[in-house]
Each structure stands twice: as structure tokens, then as C-alpha cells.
Amino acid sequence: MEKQARIYVAGHRGMVGSAIIRKLQEEGYTTIITRTSSELDLRNQEAVADFFEQERPEYVFLAAAKVGGIMANNTYRAEFLYDNLMIESNIIHQAYKTGVKKLLFLGSSCIYPKLAPQPLKEEYLLSGFLESTNEPYAIAKITGIKLCEAYRSQYGCDFISAMPTNLYGPNDNYDLNGSHVLPALIRKFHEAKINNQPTVEVWGTGSPMREFLHADDLADACFFLMEHYNGELFVNIGTGEDVTIKQVAELIKEIVGFEGELRWNTDKPDGTPRKLMDVSRLHDMGWKHTTELKEGLERTYQDFLANEVLYVE
Ligand code: GDP
């Protein structure tokens, strides 16, 4: 991508999109195009068509999506399916119509079957049943992958897909009903510490395992793929290492400095038992993450403290 190239980052206010913008700015890109959701409703076919006609982006990072943690996914099942299908269909189709040179679509590790062998290799896609709590989201993301593959094979579009593992970092969602586990626990432990509460409720049994990648590492990997990858098969992005929810809860407790007890609420779902990515293809291409979990969580807690007013309304 030339430094003056017109680059559209869809979803620039979210954790992933904002990390991609930081990366592009760091690399000296000058023509980054963005729209907030109130300026452009990506679910609206006509509005997206007009936007692409007007702005004519040359490169697209498709990081716009309706996202959330286990409760949000399981509760707003229709919205997770409809919104994500519309967003990705509209953007991918208009990118084709207006001759976008390259597009990167971002999915999620939940596209893999619930009981797939671990670590998850790209070829395990569609080899078994999905985890039910996030099936609608997963179906939408699988459709996004298939759109990129189909537009590549029928029309020759250079559209690639990347599947990140669980992410964390600046501009995460700290709303306790909608958030993922790391921001939820940072907020809960912090508030319990401030209010001298003796216990913090943690969901499930603590035995599921998750892999976590810092959003800045993800942005770096997306940029790397945009520059160096143009294959049909999507690419996993992760660290290749995972921890139990219990381990990560203890780690956040220590970083925040909460001295009380954890109370495990097993009425809340565990979700999928494990989803560790096989990142050997990405490693073979020459990319590896640089932020380890402890350091990344310490940075994320500092970011939470600095932006608490914004994050917790
Ligand atoms: P998932 O990776 O799609 O399952 O999404 P989450 O990040 O929301 O949840 C990961 C795991 O953390 C699940 O086993 C949750 O039950 C567990 N967990 C423990 N405490 C919390 C919490 O306060 N919020 C969330 N979202 N998950 C929690």
C-alpha cells in the first residue's frame, strides 16, 4: 500500500478498528477514511453503495461488526446474525463493485466447531457443530469468509480474511452485560477494590481455556497480512498459548490489587471449553506477537484507569 493510498477502516471506533488506525498512522499513511455509525449505517445497502461511490477507497480493513461477550451473543441472537450479515455483505459487495484493490475481513475464533481438535487449524472450518452461545455470530463470520472466497474465485477480487483469537486492549467494551471476560474482570476487580467489597462474582466454573491477543498485536498482524498475503484460505491470528479463566482471573486480581475472594457463579455459561489457535501458518510467514499477557493486561488496566469516565458511563 502506497503511503497516499485511500484506506477505509470500517469500525474505526471499536477496539480493533482504532488499533488499525493507530498502526496506519504510525506507518505514515495519510489518507485514512472513516465514518461513525451515525454518519453511515453499514447495514443499509444504499447508504454503503453511495459511500463507496463517493469515497472510492483503494484498500479496506473490515473491522466493523456487532460484537460482545458470551451473554450478549446468547441474548441478542437475531441482532448478531442480521447486523453482521448486512455489514459484511454490503461492504464486500461494494468493494467489488467499485474495484477496491484489496480488502481484509476480520472474523473470530468462534467460527470453529465447538469440539474441534486443538490447536485449531484453518482447515477445521465447517467440520462439526458450533458452540450454541455464539452460533449466530459464528454463522455470520463464516459467511464473511465465504464471501471473500467467492468474490475471489468468481470475480478475481483480492479479498483476504483473518481470524483473530480473543482480543483485549484500549477502547474495549466495559459494559458488564455485553463485555468479554477481560474487560469485565478488570472493571469488577477495580470497583470491588475501591468499594472494599469482600468478593467478586466470576462466571462459570473457571475451567474453560482462552487465548488472548493484545489489539495492537492484532493491528500489526492485519497490516502484515495486507502487505504480504493474498491467498484464498483465511489466516488465524493469535499467540498460540492459552490459560484457564481461573488463571487469568487470578492474574487480573493481582494486577488490580484486589485482596478479596472470587465467587464462581456456575449458573452462568462456560461457553466453549477451549479455542486455542494453531498459528503456525502466520509464524511461517514471519509474524509473531510481541505483547505477553501479563504486560498487556498491566497496560490495559492503566488505560482503563486513564479512561474510566469514558468506558464506564
Ligand atoms: P467467549 O470467549 O465467547 O466464551 O466469551 P467471554 O469472553 O465473554 O467469556 C469467556 C469465559 O469467561 C466464559 O467461560 C465466561 O463464563 C467466563 N467469565 C468469567 N467471568 C466473566 C465475566 O464477568 N464476564 C464474561 N463475559 N465472561 C466471564
Side-chain angles (χ1 to χ4, degrees):
M1 293 187 296
E2 323 74 60
K3 299 288 179 197
Q4 318 298 325
R6 299 178 63 74
I7 306 174
Y8 172 42
V9 179
H12 72 288
R13 281 188 162 172
M15 179 170 60
V16 172
S18 60
I20 292 173
I21 299 252
R22 285 196 298 279
K23 173 70 186 166
L24 291 172
Q25 285 171 341
E26 227 176 81
E27 294 287 332
Y29 287 88
T30 53
T31 321
I32 302 170
I33 303 161
T34 59
R35 288 290 186 280
T36 62
S37 51
S38 53
E39 290 164 347
L40 173 61
D41 181 350
L42 292 169
R43 296 165 302 184
N44 181 327
Q45 188 180 31
E46 211 176 305
V48 176
D50 290 347
F51 164 76
F52 272 81
E53 274 301 331
Q54 253 168 36
E55 290 290 345
R56 293 269 161 183
E58 295 166 87
Y59 297 90
V60 175
F61 287 88
L62 208 181
K66 181 165 183 71
V67 298
I70 193 163
M71 286 301 271
N73 267 277
N74 201 17
T75 310
Y76 307 110
R77 297 177 74 89
E79 285 174 54
F80 273 79
L81 186 54
Y82 177 80
D83 287 7
N84 286 309
L85 285 174
M86 296 306 285
I87 292 169
E88 66 203 26
S89 304
N90 287 339
I91 294 181
I92 289 170
H93 189 66
Q94 294 310 324
Y96 150 63
K97 296 262 279 194
T98 57
V100 163
K101 290 183 189 160
K102 188 159 187 171
L103 173 147
L104 171 70
F105 169 71
L106 281 155
S108 154
S109 59
C110 70
I111 56 156
Y112 288 109
K114 176 175 181 151
L115 300 176
Q118 309 278 323
L120 299 158
K121 288 185 189 296
E122 285 90 347
E123 53 265 33
Y124 298 162
L125 183 71
L126 293 173
S127 62
F129 292 104
L130 297 165
E131 152 65 25
S132 73
T133 52
N134 55 26
E135 189 187 74
Y137 181 71
I139 293 279
K141 288 296 180 184
I142 293 170
T143 305
I145 295 174
K146 293 295 166 192
L147 282 167
C148 290
E149 282 177 18
Y151 278 68
R152 172 181 293 276
S153 90
Q154 185 175 346
Y155 304 127
C157 299
D158 191 1
F159 294 173
I160 59 173
S161 305
M163 298 304 120
T165 190
N166 292 39
L167 302 167
Y168 67 100
N171 299 320
D172 207 341
N173 170 9
Y174 285 88
D175 164 20
L176 294 179
N177 290 314
S179 65
H180 282 103
V181 59
L182 300 190
L185 294 187
I186 288 174
R187 177 172 174 182
K188 285 190 200 174
F189 287 131
H190 175 74
E191 289 177 352
K193 180 178 85 170
I194 301 293
N195 301 321
N196 284 317
Q197 287 160 10
T199 58
V200 161
E201 182 188 292
V202 193
W203 296 354
T205 60
S207 64
M209 300 194 75
R210 293 289 183 274
E211 175 187 6
F212 298 102
L213 180 75
H214 193 278
D216 287 338
D217 276 338
L218 173 72
D220 195 63
C222 290
F223 182 73
F224 176 87
L225 289 174
M226 205 62 157
E227 292 281 85
H228 301 291
Y229 184 72
N230 57 8
E232 175 180 331
L233 187 59
F234 63 90
V235 182
N236 286 342
I237 305 181
T239 63
E241 297 150 20
D242 60 357
V243 289
T244 63
I245 294 300
K246 187 163 189 303
Q247 284 170 323
V248 82
E250 294 290 346
L251 182 59
I252 296 176
K253 179 182 159 182
E254 183 197 316
I255 289 169
V256 172
F258 169 66
E259 287 174 354
E261 301 290 318
L262 307 191
R263 197 162 41 81
W264 294 93
N265 180 356
T266 50
D267 291 339
K268 297 278 199 230
D270 264 346
T272 202
R274 195 176 186 202
K275 43 179 170 177
L276 176 65
M277 293 286 210
D278 183 320
V279 284
S280 43
R281 283 180 64 236
L282 190 57
H283 284 180
D284 290 348
M285 290 178 215
W287 188 90
K288 194 177 181 298
H289 72 285
T290 55
T291 309
E292 296 306 333
L293 184 58
K294 183 157 191 277
E295 180 214 327
L297 285 173
E298 283 164 353
R299 265 166 54 195
T300 304
Y301 183 45
Q302 291 310 315
D303 172 74
F304 171 79
L305 291 175
N307 295 294
E308 194 179 344
V309 240
L310 286 177
Y311 292 158
V312 180
E313 280 167 54

